[in-house]
Structure formats: C-alpha cells, structure tokens
Amino acid sequence: MHFYGTAAQNALGHLTVGGVDVVDLAREYGTPLYIMDEALIRRNCRAYVESFRQHYPNFDVAYASKAFLCTAMAALAEQEGLSLDVVSGGEIATARQAGFPMERTYFHGNNKSPEEIRLAMEVGVGRFVVDSTRELHLLENMAAERGRTVRILLRVTPGVEAHTHEYISTGQLDSKFGIPIAGGLALEAAREALRLSHVELTGFHCHIGSQIFDLEGYRIAVQRMLDLAAAVRAETGFTASELSMGGGLGVRYVEGDRPVPPEELVACLSAAVRGGAPERGLPLPKLIIEPGRSIVAEAGTTLYTVGTIKEIPGVRTYLAVDGGMGDNIRPALYHAEYECAVANKLGSERTRRVTVVGRYCESGDVLLTDVPVAADVAPGDLLAVFATGAYNYSMASHYNRFPTPAVVFVSDGRADLVVRRESFAEMAANDLLPERLRAGAPR
C-alpha cells in the first residue's frame, strides 16, 4: 500500500496521519472528515521556494487557493513565504480574514464582477490577472473613479495543449480563459493596456492545464510567452517585468501516476527563462508560478464510515459510505480515480473487491470502482480515501441537504480543527419562510 507524507500503520493496524490515529479522529470529529497532513503541505511549499532560491534570482510562488482554502491554509501559506492566487470575492475575504498581506495576492477570474473588483481595490490586491479587454476597461473606469492605478498581468493563451483531461486544459487556443497569442490578439490587448491611464501593465500570465506529468508543454509555453514579450517590446517599447507560468503540476492519485517533483518543474522553468530571455534581448523577468494541487492533494485523506455492503452475485459488491459526491464531486465530474484502505484494518488482507458508492440520490454517486479492500470489511469500519486534499473541500456541495464536513490539520501527534462540521441549522441559516407559506396560513 502506498502511503503519502506522514501516513503510516500503527501497532493496532490503524492508519495514522501526522502521528494521530484516524480512529481517534473519527471518534472526536465524526465522518465524513477531511484530514490534512500539515507537515506534507509545508514540505511541498518549501520544495518550491527552496528550489527557486537555487535556480532563479527573482521569483514568487503563489499558492492557488482554489485547490483548498480556509483561513488556516492561508495563514500556513503566509508562514511559508508564499503569495496567494485568488479567484473570487470569497477567496479574497478568506485571505483577509486570515490576516494575509493582500499586496501578495493575484486576483484571477474570467468574469470578475464589479463588486469583486471593488472589494479587491479596497483591500489592496497586488495584481489583477486580466482575462479580457472588457475587464481592462472595467478596471480602468473603476480605478479612475477612485483616483488610483491598479497593477495587472494579462492572461494569455499560448496555444499549448497539456496532456490531460479536456475539461482541465486551459492553455490551448479554444478556451474560456485568457486572450490568444495567435492572431495578434494578445499583442493588441497589451497595446490597449498601455494606452490606459489607471492600469499599469507589469507582465503576462498563462496556465496550460492541470495534472501535468510532461514538462515539455511548459518549455514550449515559456518560449511563446517570451516571444510575446519580445513582440510587445518591439512594438511599444514596453518591457515586461513579470512572467507568470501558472501551475498545473500533476500528483499521484493511483498506482501508475508518475508525478514530476516540484524541484524539476522549477529547474525546467528557470532554465527556459534564463536561456530564452537573453536570446530575445530581454532582461530576466520576475518568474511567478501558481501551484495548488501539487501542494495539497497528496496531503489530504477523506475518512468515511462504512454503511451498507450489498453484494450482487456475479456482478459486483457495492460498499456504501456516509459521504460521496457532495464531498468529492471529482469522480462524477472528471472520472477521477483514487486509492483507499479500511483505516482500522490495515493489517487485513486486501482481497475483497468493491465499488465504493456514496449516500446521495444519484446513480453516478460512485467514488471508486472495483478496488481492493480488507476481506473482513464490515459496516461501522472506517474507509480512508487518499490524495483528496485538492478540490474536494473546495467543491463540496449541499446536494440532498447534507452539511459540509469538518477539516482537521494534523502534525506531530496533534490535531487541530480548522473548519467546523456544518450543522443542519447553519446550512439552512439563509433560508427564509414567507408568512403566506407558514403552516396554517390561508391559501
């Protein structure tokens, strides 16, 4: 069995993470439960920062909040010297609540609302990552009203298609994100940005996809981004001081996944920019990357309680848990795969094959298909699903009116609750019942 980070098996045959027995976590915090290995998160953050210190003189590592964000995660990122990539007013508010320095935030989004832009200006977001010429002019007008100037990166699409699922490939030409380099559209957007009085262009941004195992796409993207920077300089005299290459590095979800270590990505990007910029007569820009999944995915374990086990002879065995698509939509959305184990019976032989399903009213509520588990698995046991730290909590829903699970950080034998389990009352707190609909009201 493959263990991630600090995960291990103790003398009782139980799974431990961060030196904490998950059976004890289930007893104290209930299930479903998101468990985050704090030491592994910190190790991944440091791998990026320390690699850049070795390979490149001027850099920024911005954690992609969309992968997993709560106030504790924002605070951890700040402690590790990371900036934040935020994509909504909610993520901005969470970062601010954590006391994160807002000048170290990059505000993304292909359709930012005026309300979100207003909030971002008020709290002093460091960079707006502009996704369209419409946004350029919206920023110009709103900044002018406030008598200020905002700094921006232009998000462009370099036409690089990463080898990944089509729904999470965002660098190719046909994408809802960014302004294409092809056809001179990005060059024209840069010209337009430079004509505006309340927008300060600092550089360019791209993101070529997610769950990437092949670094060649990054190398090609760097060359195309530097070509754009050189073309903009030749046309306008503007020299980009910042170049953001996004995130997207892959992680191990199942046997056979071969992720590239962060150190290799940093070395690849650094070498490409250090070689390519001088070739085009450009000074070295500040190099920015935005890892998310590769920092938190493998640090997450979701813990469930086993319920009904239904065997259909000659077909399959269904093992139902007390969560499902409401706390992990990725299998239904992306056909994502995971590995699992019966957390309180790690010593048992894993000879029984089951399909793990959730408790939601959808036939597509399947978490894992035909996976091995302990032969003696029974109702009441605990099932651990690994590598669930990225996008599971972030994409959790109230479907079927189930509350969202709790989140705990574990480290050095200690567990800290960082997100309380939502109660039924909290879930329904925004519901309003008009008088005419109350019981006994005349129809």
Side-chain angles (χ1 to χ4, degrees):
M1 183 184 305
H2 177 85
F3 285 130
Y4 296 89
T6 65
Q9 178 178 332
N10 67 13
L12 298 174
H14 296 176
L15 175 69
T16 65
V17 183
V20 181
D21 191 323
V22 303
V23 174
D24 295 334
L25 292 176
R27 187 179 301 117
E28 182 169 0
Y29 300 111
T31 59
L33 180 66
Y34 296 118
I35 304 167
M36 301 297 288
D37 184 343
E38 182 179 333
L40 181 53
I41 295 174
R42 291 185 184 275
R43 188 178 80 192
N44 292 336
C45 291
R46 292 169 189 174
Y48 279 104
V49 172
E50 291 169 5
S51 296
F52 264 120
R53 287 175 178 160
Q54 295 176 21
H55 292 286
Y56 201 83
N58 187 14
F59 67 90
D60 197 9
V61 179
Y63 169 64
S65 300
K66 62 182 176 288
F68 166 72
L69 186 66
C70 61
T71 53
M73 184 62 210
L76 185 156
E78 196 281 326
Q79 286 183 350
E80 295 298 333
L82 273 59
S83 296
L84 282 185
D85 152 0
V86 293
V87 301
S88 70
E91 290 187 354
I92 291 171
T94 300
R96 192 183 187 199
Q97 183 177 340
F100 195 90
M102 300 310 294
E103 67 275 9
R104 282 165 46 193
T105 57
Y106 298 80
F107 184 22
H108 287 258
N110 69 303
N111 190 32
K112 303 176 185 73
S113 70
E115 292 75 20
E116 288 175 316
I117 291 172
R118 188 175 299 113
L119 172 64
M121 289 183 179
E122 288 173 357
V123 302
V125 160
R127 297 286 184 276
F128 287 83
V129 183
V130 173
D131 208 273
S132 66
T133 53
R134 172 189 176 271
E135 184 183 340
L136 261 183
H137 291 284
L138 185 58
L139 281 174
E140 169 70 12
N141 293 337
M142 293 182 69
E145 290 173 0
R146 289 158 179 75
R148 59 180 300 176
T149 299
V150 295
R151 292 183 171 180
I152 71 164
L153 295 168
L154 276 183
R155 177 164 182 169
V156 303
T157 50
V160 177
E161 184 169 0
H163 299 290
T164 185
H165 192 289
E166 63 175 324
Y167 292 146
I168 48 178
S169 297
T170 54
Q172 70 270 25
L173 182 61
D174 183 8
S175 172
K176 81 170 191 176
F177 296 103
I179 304 166
I181 292 178
L185 296 177
L187 176 58
E188 179 53 38
R191 286 197 197 99
E192 184 65 18
L194 293 168
R195 285 194 286 264
L196 302 177
S197 303
H198 297 275
V199 167
E200 179 186 347
L201 178 63
T202 62
F204 304 100
H205 170 279
C206 76
H207 178 70
I208 62 171
S210 295
Q211 190 60 356
I212 299 169
F213 295 147
D214 183 356
L215 296 182
E216 185 60 26
Y218 288 107
R219 294 188 185 94
I220 296 171
V222 166
Q223 302 309 314
R224 294 186 184 176
M225 295 293 281
L226 292 174
D227 285 343
L228 172 64
V232 171
R233 186 179 191 185
E235 289 275 342
T236 68
F238 167 77
T239 300
S241 61
E242 297 176 341
L243 179 66
S244 176
M245 295 305 301
L249 193 64
V251 301
R252 185 193 187 279
Y253 284 113
V254 294
E255 184 178 359
D257 286 343
R258 297 289 182 267
V260 175
E263 296 86 349
E264 290 187 23
L265 172 62
V266 170
C268 167
L269 292 173
S270 299
V273 176
R274 291 179 74 114
E279 288 175 356
R280 294 163 176 81
L282 297 170
L284 289 182
K286 182 178 186 177
L287 181 54
I288 305 161
I289 61 170
E290 298 166 343
R293 184 196 311 267
S294 58
I295 286 179
V296 295
E298 295 181 7
T301 300
T302 304
L303 195 64
Y304 301 100
T305 298
V306 175
T308 300
I309 301 175
K310 181 172 72 174
E311 185 171 355
I312 304 176
V315 181
R316 73 176 72 245
T317 298
Y318 288 102
L319 184 153
V321 295
D322 59 347
M325 66 190 300
D327 56 75
N328 185 358
I329 192 64
R330 295 187 68 253
L333 194 60
Y334 301 131
H335 304 293
E337 296 180 297
Y338 295 92
E339 293 177 346
C340 69
V342 179
N344 57 310
K345 293 178 177 177
L346 291 185
S348 298
E349 290 189 29
R350 301 172 72 228
T351 56
R352 191 171 187 182
R353 301 197 76 87
V354 301
T355 290
V356 179
V357 297
R359 62 185 303 186
Y360 292 82
C361 292
E362 294 285 345
S363 58
D365 180 23
V366 177
L367 293 175
L368 302 98
T369 302
D370 193 29
V371 292
V373 296
D376 55 346
V377 64
D381 285 338
L382 298 173
L383 188 78
V385 180
F386 302 111
T388 56
Y391 300 105
N392 295 54
Y393 170 76
S394 294
M395 300 173 83
S397 75
H398 285 146
Y399 185 49
N400 289 167
R401 296 294 266 189
F402 285 113
T404 52
V407 183
V408 293
F409 276 17
V410 290
S411 180
D412 297 323
R414 171 177 173 170
D416 289 296
L417 184 67
V418 298
V419 179
R420 286 187 297 106
R421 182 175 306 280
E422 191 177 32
S423 69
F424 290 132
E426 288 167 333
M427 180 181 60
N430 290 328
D431 288 9
L432 300 174
L433 185 60
E435 286 297 327
R436 62 183 179 80
L437 297 180
R438 291 187 183 276
R443 296 187 180 181

